[in-house]
């Protein structure tokens, strides 16, 4: 584990419940697309890595797959276990998983590779636990940021807060371009074959106060920025959030935040 891993772990520590109500709903959008892309069906031995509160595991269980799920954060493991009692849910983390070689027909890592300190080593581990010709499906957030992700830096800047001071950065020699080509290149470097990447766009609809409540509870990188501020500064940031998020408001009063995932599907040799 390097310092990036430690910072990322801290972002979720004890926060599974708020994750499930906020970012978990965002992360759930591409799940059916990813499961289709890796061909999850009845009997598939599926590993859901970085399972969070179990969106992938639950959807795969509904397809009749034999699901194993793993996450380093205990509060995530507890919620995923309750939500998907048919699955084997364990504590574990990349880049070293508690499974034999060739144990799974398919592996899904939904918005997890962006949380590990050594993405290439993590992919090598996912290839190890996949059987020959098994399929990997993964998503990450693209760069440059979508309007959804770009909202927070805009809010901090408008409030005069240096967000970079509290955001974890991957070591330059471990990083890769968060584009279709950059992700495809990393998978090829990790010796996956038949690599395909594409962008999956959507609009995330969410109540503005609910969307604020995740970072306000310290969740994810932007939550860590908020957690480092005084109450007066947080109040100023909230005013800027209310002002800038209003441009995404639709008739229901919700925000409709344009976003996208980079989706990769690849095959173990
Ligand atoms: C953005 S959440 C996504 C959760 C879930 N996959 C979903 O789609 O809702 C990222 C998850 O990755 C987990 N995670 C962080 N570092 C990890 C690592 N090194 N190995 C495996 N999972 C990790 C976090 O605990 C968190 O549950």
């Amino acid at each position: 584990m390097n310092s990036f891993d430690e910072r990322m772990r801290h972002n979720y520590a004890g926060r599974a419940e708020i994750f499930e109500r906020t970012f978990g709903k965002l992360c759930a959008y591409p799940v059916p697309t990813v499961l289709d892309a890796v061909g999850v069906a009845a009997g598939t031995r599926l590993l859901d890595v970085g399972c969070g509160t179990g969106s992938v595991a639950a959807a795969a269980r509904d397809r009749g797959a034999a699901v194993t799920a793993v996450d380093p954060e205990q509060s995530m493991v507890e919620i995923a276990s309750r939500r998907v009692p048919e699955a084997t849910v364990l504590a574990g983390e990349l880049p070293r998983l508690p499974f034999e070689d060739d144990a799974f027909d398919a592996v899904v890592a939904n918005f997890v590779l962006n949380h590990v300190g050594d993405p290439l080593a993590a992919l090598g581990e996912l290839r190890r636990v996949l059987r020959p010709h098994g399929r990997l499906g993964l998503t990450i957030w693209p760069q440059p940021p979508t309007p959804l992700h770009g909202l927070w830096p805009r809010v901090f800047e408008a409030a005069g807060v240096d967000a970079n001071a509290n955001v974890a950065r991957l070591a330059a020699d471990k990083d890769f371009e968060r584009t279709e080509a950059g992700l495809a290149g990393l998978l090829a470097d990790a010796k996956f074959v038949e690599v395909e990447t594409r962008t999956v766009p959507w609009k995330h609809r969410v109540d503005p106060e609910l969307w604020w409540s995740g970072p306000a509870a310290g969740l994810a990188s932007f939550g860590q920025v908020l957690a480092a501020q005084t109450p007066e500064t947080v109040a100023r940031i909230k005013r800027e959030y209310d002002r800038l998020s209003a441009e995404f408001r639709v008739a229901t009063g919700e925000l409709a935040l344009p976003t996208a995932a980079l989706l990769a599907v690849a095959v173990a040799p």
Side-chain angles (χ1 to χ4, degrees):
M1 203 188 330
N2 61 32
S3 64
F4 182 87
D5 290 292
E6 279 172 29
R7 295 281 297 272
M8 285 293 150
R9 294 276 298 274
H10 183 65
N11 289 354
Y12 289 99
R15 296 190 173 94
E17 217 176 290
I18 186 74
F19 172 80
E20 190 175 35
R21 285 190 284 121
T22 58
F23 293 175
K25 301 268 189 289
L26 171 71
C27 294
Y29 180 86
V31 168
T33 308
V34 183
L35 293 184
D36 287 347
V38 295
V40 173
T44 304
R45 293 172 303 160
L46 174 87
L47 175 64
D48 176 10
V49 180
C51 64
T53 53
S55 295
V56 170
R61 178 268 322 269
D62 292 346
R63 293 178 180 216
V67 180
T68 303
V70 66
D71 200 284
E73 168 50 35
Q74 189 54 33
S75 63
M76 299 287 193
V77 170
E78 282 164 17
I79 292 189
S81 306
R82 281 203 300 274
R83 184 170 169 193
V84 195
E86 303 83 353
T88 303
V89 187
L90 303 170
E93 73 188 278
L94 290 165
R96 191 158 295 261
L97 297 173
F99 308 112
E100 302 284 310
D101 293 2
D102 306 345
F104 299 99
D105 303 313
V107 171
V108 169
N110 196 43
F111 301 112
V112 177
L113 198 66
N114 41 309
H115 289 282
V116 303
D118 190 341
L120 187 61
L123 289 178
E125 181 68 349
L126 298 182
R127 183 169 44 74
R128 182 187 70 76
V129 301
L130 270 172
R131 66 162 168 78
H133 312 298
R135 291 169 81 82
L136 169 68
L138 68 83
T139 53
I140 59 170
W141 301 113
Q143 285 284 356
T146 65
L148 177 144
H149 283 91
L151 176 61
W152 294 105
R154 288 174 60 207
V155 166
F156 292 131
E157 193 184 348
V161 170
D162 177 11
N164 289 327
N166 298 90
V167 169
R169 298 253 170 267
L170 203 57
D173 65 329
K174 306 274 188 230
D175 211 352
F176 63 100
E177 252 187 46
R178 311 306 163 106
T179 59
E180 291 176 12
L183 182 57
L186 187 74
L187 282 155
D189 289 349
K191 301 191 170 48
F192 278 92
V193 297
E194 296 176 43
V195 176
E196 286 174 26
T197 56
R198 65 187 147 109
T199 302
V200 179
W202 77 101
K203 277 188 183 167
H204 181 59
R205 291 181 72 121
V206 62
D207 176 83
E209 292 304 317
L210 183 61
W211 196 235
W212 168 261
S213 72
L219 187 66
S221 306
F222 301 129
Q224 293 304 305
V225 179
L226 277 179
Q229 311 304 324
T230 62
E232 294 73 26
T233 305
V234 172
R236 195 167 72 242
I237 295 169
K238 176 65 163 61
R239 283 196 294 278
E240 294 300 339
Y241 170 81
D242 290 343
R243 185 175 69 80
L244 289 167
S245 65
E247 72 191 64
F248 299 104
R249 264 190 208 241
V250 292
T252 57
E254 291 171 305
L255 306 179
L257 296 161
T259 193
L262 286 177
L263 165 67
V265 186
V267 173

